Amino acid sequence: MMHDVAVLGGGPAGMAAATEAASRGARTVLLEESPLPGGQVYRAPPAGFTLPADADRRTGDALRAALAASGAELRTGCRVWGLGGGPLVPQGSDAAPFTLSALGADGVPFTVTARALVLCTGTHERIIPFPGWTLPGVIGLAAATILLKAQGVLPGRRVVVAGVGPLLYAVAAKVLAGGGKVVAVVDAATRGEWLRALPGLAARPDLLAQGAAWRAKLVAARVPVLHGATVTAAEGDGVLARVRVGDRCFDADALCIGHGLVPATEATRTYRARHEHRAQDGGWVPVLDARQRTSVTLLYAAGDGAGVRGAAAAPAAGRVAARAALQDLGLAPEAPEDATLARARRAGAAMAGIMALRPAMVAVIPPDTIICRCEGVARAAIDAAAADGAATLNQLKHFTRCGMGPCQGRMCGEAAGALLAAARGVPVAHVGFSTGRIPLRPVPMEAILGAFDYADIPVPAAAPI
């Protein structure tokens, strides 16, 4: 069946976009990798789990209920690995409807076709490498959030929470609430940076109050908070035992760390949409107009995947994208501006500014520290490649295999790009980004091949000598 609108990603932006499109009569399908929609912030517990409901759970449940009532087709637990249609057609051909190839939750491949595509693909976590960051016991803040919010499981009994941004305090507060001990919070942002962000945060007093409540819990538990500090090493004999912060050392069995969020732009890059580098928005982002349109006809982007602005701004952005798609398809008139979007974006921009890439942290990475953990590429290899002439991230892949592993550069791309730019003495934007390619996610080869066989390979007739 040809859908009017397909939405890729079931976070707050994707749920709102699909709900908006379907409730206005468009044939709509939403594809989501998790068993239930919700995204990172509004993640739902697995079936059969009963966890106490908090504000995020209630907001997520409301978005899920609206989506269920909208009539949108929901495909969850599926892994979208292939993109086609749009501008991805043979040279000289007209643009075609968008196609998304996926592996279903039941292991059966399927394809969705739609006239318009809204990408709500969220973010990746940024972790700037440091000695010992690959030790068991070191996990991202996002991973810790999944454990705590979806499973009710502590990442450890003695936990150091480190990095930058509001997620630090959310994770620390939840570890305390779950009965764990937070040994220390190591915040790369200074008190001055947080104070300067307050005017922007004041646009969402509810979020400001939530952050204050998290901090109050840390004060009550006498948790030391180190501002303007960074983890210098994670140490242990095969597993994390200690976390060093300059001259200080903390015994810990878990280090939850994250240095901000990076928009997940694999799909917009694959469709060759125009991008620009905006550090304050998380890095490379698709260029959008005021209605979330990309430079590719009938392709839209919303939520943090289009520039980090937080979960509060995402639903409004999703609705704007869906309305633009319906207008462009001739299914609805132009919609008025959403007043809630600008207000939520102001608060989100203040947070995104704090979470922007910090070049000083990249500069102090020791030469033997692993950058690309998939391929085992250390900083020294990146510096050597730069000296040998690698000028872009694509060339760096050719020289070192950095970013060619299963994660396709999602974990290492930011740090590798910053290191390459620093080695060449150019802005990060000058080294570009890795070309978007399929498969977007690791999938079994048989899912890609389908019924295709070796004998099906077209062999051109031999050319005359």
Side-chain angles (χ1 to χ4, degrees), residues 228-297:
T230 57
V231 170
T232 47
E235 299 174 345
D237 186 11
V239 65
L240 178 72
R242 297 171 300 279
V243 177
R244 290 197 179 276
V245 183
D247 294 334
R248 303 184 66 172
C249 185
F250 299 93
D251 292 337
D253 60 2
L255 168 60
C256 307
I257 190 164
H259 301 109
L261 302 172
V262 181
T265 56
E266 300 98 312
T268 48
R269 283 186 280 127
T270 300
Y271 277 118
R272 307 298 186 258
R274 195 156 67 89
H275 290 70
E276 63 184 3
H277 190 273
R278 298 200 299 264
Q280 71 277 17
D281 289 344
W284 287 102
V285 293
V287 177
L288 305 177
D289 73 1
R291 301 291 184 177
Q292 309 295 133
R293 297 180 179 95
T294 73
S295 59
V296 175
T297 302

Side-chain angles (χ1 to χ4, degrees), residues 215-227:
R215 290 295 299 260
K217 289 179 181 176
L218 299 184
V219 171
R222 299 180 181 275
V223 175
V225 178
L226 285 62
H227 282 285

Side-chain angles (χ1 to χ4, degrees), residues 85-87 95-98 114-117 271 273 293-300 328-329:
F98 295 94
R115 300 163 64 199
L117 176 59
Y271 277 118
R293 297 180 179 95
T294 73
S295 59
V296 175
T297 302
L298 294 175
L299 181 68
Y300 312 81
D328 296 342
L329 291 172

